Amino acid sequence: MFVQQLEPVADSLTLSALIATLPLLTVLALLGGVRMRAHYAGPIGLAVAVLVACLPYGMPLGQTLSSGAQGVLFGLFPIMWIVVNALWVYRMTVRTDHFDVLRRSFGRLSDDPRVQALVIAFCFGALLEALAGFGAPVAICAVMLVALGFDPVRAAVVALVANTAPVAFGAMATPVVTLAQVTGLPLESVASVVGRQTPLLALVVPLLLVVLVDGRRGLRETWVPALACGTAFAVAQFAVSNYLSVQLADIAAALVGAAALVAVPAARRPAEEPVRAAVLTGVRSDDLDHVDPRPEVLRAYAPYALIVAISHRPDRPGQGPVTATRTVNWPFLDVANPDVKPVSGNLFALPLLATGGTLVLFAGIATAAVLRVAARDALGEWAATVRELRHAILTVTSVLALAYVMNLSGQAATIGHFVAAAGAGLAFLSPVLGWFGVAVSGSDTSANALFGALQVTAARESGLSPDLLAAANSSGGVLGKMISPQNLTIACAAVGLKGQEGDLLRKVLPWSLGLLLLMCLIVVAQSSFLLGWMLP
């Protein structure tokens, strides 16, 4: 048995914490300083984590490698298994031109560019985030807005800022699932708290989007549909994440938000020409005037309906059928915490069937049939999806392996005990840590893997709620996505602004910091009597 140590370096918590941060500092320095690609930085950081675990912490090499292998397996299944199959569904809609049908359908909902921004960047962007994530919503929504006549810079800014509230439940709730796994907290408890934080952002972001599109005039003239959209989105995200299904939280929120938006009479009124002239300064796509047959429009919406129908299953015990999950003793791993009690990492739970990725795979097979994609072509698209995501797969698996090595060797516990000295200030700093992790890595999943266990340890040492600080890591992290180098590059490439990432950063950074401050205040209030009643 390997027993974790909190102060392995000179019996000093401070020195031990400095050594324990080396893997994290390595990854952050390579990404932010050297500007190395994430799929190179991740494995290098993993190597540093292995050295720290084996040398100062004294973890046997076999157990160190075994803990890393468990992280790799979790990264592949269920995390990337979800992402691959979700993106595969989207690729089939592009292959059959049904994605263009969907884009034209959205363009006809309203000719007001402020409402179009809400429908496409906020609602449809949330749907894409729910299915694929990893930069896809920013790229796709920015291109759609440019096709409607938006200036490329404005389209990129709107797409980046809109990609906030749905991120924590993106890619079929991959970030929250990862957070629960690395912290050992129940998925339903973590998701429940996240579902009481990010909906508050959803109330604000639509109002902010109409300001970005048309300034004060946009807010004055379209605040009613924006507020209706944000409120419906927030209520649906809260209700579904807390009482129905974590995986369906963003899908339901996006659909309910869009329905509420188009139901408001003000959203359907034709926009005045001065508004259109001021906002639509780009080149409008000619194919927007093409009228698609109703059956093709229904087929364009079918993939998302199939995912909702097939993925619908309650996550809470007693509310649905028993799912096949196999729990095994992880080989070559026997770890105890400093109190000599076995840690949860000694066991590994493997869902055999009813995992998000498998359900989306079934939805993808049904989608191929509905869209009339031949079996050979569908398999080819699936293989192409894996090739497209190969770097993301390497990044996610290496970062999760790093997180598992740090957690099981005791490095994360050491950092958590050291950070706990901040006391009550942790509630304010917790979202900042998640924001910083996503700003550097570009992924809420990666930030949760890196800092989730640290947040929980610090919370327990300081007397705060572990669920609250773990959730705050993810909720704060969503606000760092708009300034991450990866997302800025994706946005610039999508709208033809290559090389202008710095200009785009200066435009979105103030909004990122402002929303982060709001989230910090929310978490502080939830840790006190002010909003403590919000927590489950």
Side-chain angles (χ1 to χ4, degrees):
M1 176 182 290
F2 167 70
V3 180
Q4 297 173 346
Q5 302 177 66
L6 292 178
E7 303 174 355
V9 182
D11 293 326
S12 168
L13 182 62
T14 301
L15 291 176
S16 300
L18 288 174
I19 296 299
T21 58
L22 286 178
L24 297 176
L25 292 177
T26 299
V27 173
L28 298 179
L30 291 176
L31 288 173
V34 182
R35 296 186 180 277
M36 181 180 289
R37 294 186 176 182
H39 62 277
Y40 292 133
I44 294 174
L46 171 60
V48 175
V50 169
L51 289 175
V52 173
C54 292
L55 298 179
Y57 278 83
M59 190 178 196
L61 179 61
Q63 296 213 46
T64 303
L65 296 178
S66 180
S67 61
Q70 187 177 154
V72 169
L73 179 58
F74 180 69
L76 292 173
F77 190 91
I79 301 303
M80 292 311 298
W81 180 238
I82 295 171
V83 177
V84 166
N85 289 322
L87 195 57
W88 173 52
V89 174
Y90 161 71
R91 286 181 63 99
M92 284 193 290
T93 66
V94 173
R95 181 186 181 93
T96 58
D97 294 329
H98 284 91
F99 180 76
D100 290 329
V101 175
L102 193 67
R103 174 172 58 85
R104 289 190 288 268
S105 174
F106 286 157
R108 285 191 289 270
L109 289 176
S110 172
D111 71 344
D112 189 325
R114 299 162 300 190
V115 176
Q116 290 173 341
L118 293 174
V119 172
I120 293 173
F122 188 69
C123 297
F124 186 59
L127 187 61
L128 291 172
E129 182 68 37
L131 300 178
F134 291 90
V138 171
I140 295 167
C141 292
V143 169
M144 292 176 72
L145 291 174
V146 169
L148 291 173
F150 278 68
D151 170 74
V153 174
R154 182 174 293 168
V157 170
V158 168
L160 285 166
V161 174
N163 191 220
T164 48
V167 169
F169 295 105
M172 305 300 288
T174 295
V176 176
V177 171
T178 302
L179 183 63
Q181 181 73 16
V182 300
T183 59
L185 299 173
L187 173 61
E188 59 268 19
S189 65
V190 174
S192 178
V193 180
V194 175
R196 296 161 195 247
Q197 293 173 342
T198 55
L200 298 178
L201 290 177
L203 295 173
V204 177
V205 171
L207 298 170
L208 178 56
L209 294 180
V210 296
V211 172
L212 290 172
V213 172
D214 194 29
R216 293 181 180 177
R217 178 178 61 183
L219 183 61
R220 184 175 63 252
E221 296 180 0
T222 56
W223 69 269
V224 173
L227 186 60
C229 176
T231 302
F233 186 102
V235 170
Q237 191 182 60
F238 159 73
V240 175
S241 64
N242 275 264
Y243 304 113
L244 187 58
S245 169
V246 175
Q247 283 80 8
L248 292 181
D250 275 351
I251 295 176
L255 296 177
V256 172
L261 176 62
V262 298
V264 176
R268 300 193 300 273
R269 292 195 198 109
E272 297 179 2
E273 190 54 37
V275 173
R276 295 179 54 80
V279 176
L280 302 181
T281 56
V283 179
R284 185 175 182 271
S285 177
D286 293 335
D287 71 340
L288 289 175
D289 297 324
H290 177 73
V291 178
D292 298 293
R294 183 175 293 274
E296 295 304 310
V297 175
L298 293 176
R299 284 196 184 93
Y301 283 92
Y304 310 104
L306 287 169
I307 289 177
V308 171
I310 294 177
S311 300
H312 171 62
R313 61 182 181 88
D315 290 314
R316 293 179 182 277
Q319 293 186 356
V322 176
T323 57
T325 300
R326 186 180 183 85
T327 301
V328 298
N329 290 311
W330 190 255
F332 310 112
L333 199 62
D334 187 10
V335 179
N337 62 23
D339 296 327
V340 200
K341 295 180 180 178
V343 299
S344 59
N346 295 328
L347 301 175
F348 187 80
L350 187 67
L352 300 179
L353 181 62
T355 184
T358 303
L359 296 174
V360 176
L361 175 66
F362 293 154
I365 294 171
T367 296
V370 171
L371 300 185
R372 299 170 183 171
V373 180
R376 177 188 293 271
D377 294 334
L379 288 173
E381 288 296 333
W382 194 90
T385 303
V386 174
R387 286 195 300 272
E388 180 182 340
L389 291 174
R390 64 188 184 281
H391 291 157
I393 291 172
L394 179 57
T395 299
V396 170
T397 53
S398 61
V399 168
L400 279 163
L402 180 153
Y404 270 64
V405 170
M406 290 189 65
N407 294 345
L408 291 171
S409 66
Q411 296 173 58
T414 297
I415 300 172
H417 280 73
F418 179 77
V419 173
L426 270 176
F428 186 87
L429 295 175
S430 186
V432 177
L433 191 60
W435 174 85
F436 181 71
V438 177
V440 173
S441 69
S443 166
D444 200 38
T445 299
S446 297
N448 286 343
L450 290 172
F451 300 129
L454 186 158
Q455 298 265 24
V456 168
T457 302
R460 286 171 175 157
E461 288 300 306
S462 61
L464 294 172
S465 165
D467 290 331
L468 175 62
L469 293 201
N473 191 85
S474 191
S475 299
V478 306
L479 303 171
K481 197 163 187 180
M482 71 177 81
I483 64 169
S484 69
Q486 293 93 319
N487 257 25
L488 290 171
T489 301
I490 288 170
C492 286
V495 298
L497 298 174
K498 188 175 182 180
Q500 299 185 40
E501 289 85 355
D503 296 334
L504 202 55
L505 173 62
R506 284 188 288 273
K507 290 183 178 295
V508 298
L509 181 58
W511 303 113
S512 177
L513 293 174
L515 291 172
L516 174 63
L517 176 60
L518 174 62
M519 181 53 65
C520 290
L521 295 176
I522 289 171
V523 175
V524 169
Q526 289 180 332
S527 70
S528 69
F529 68 93
L530 293 174
L531 293 180
W533 51 269
M534 289 184 63
L535 300 182

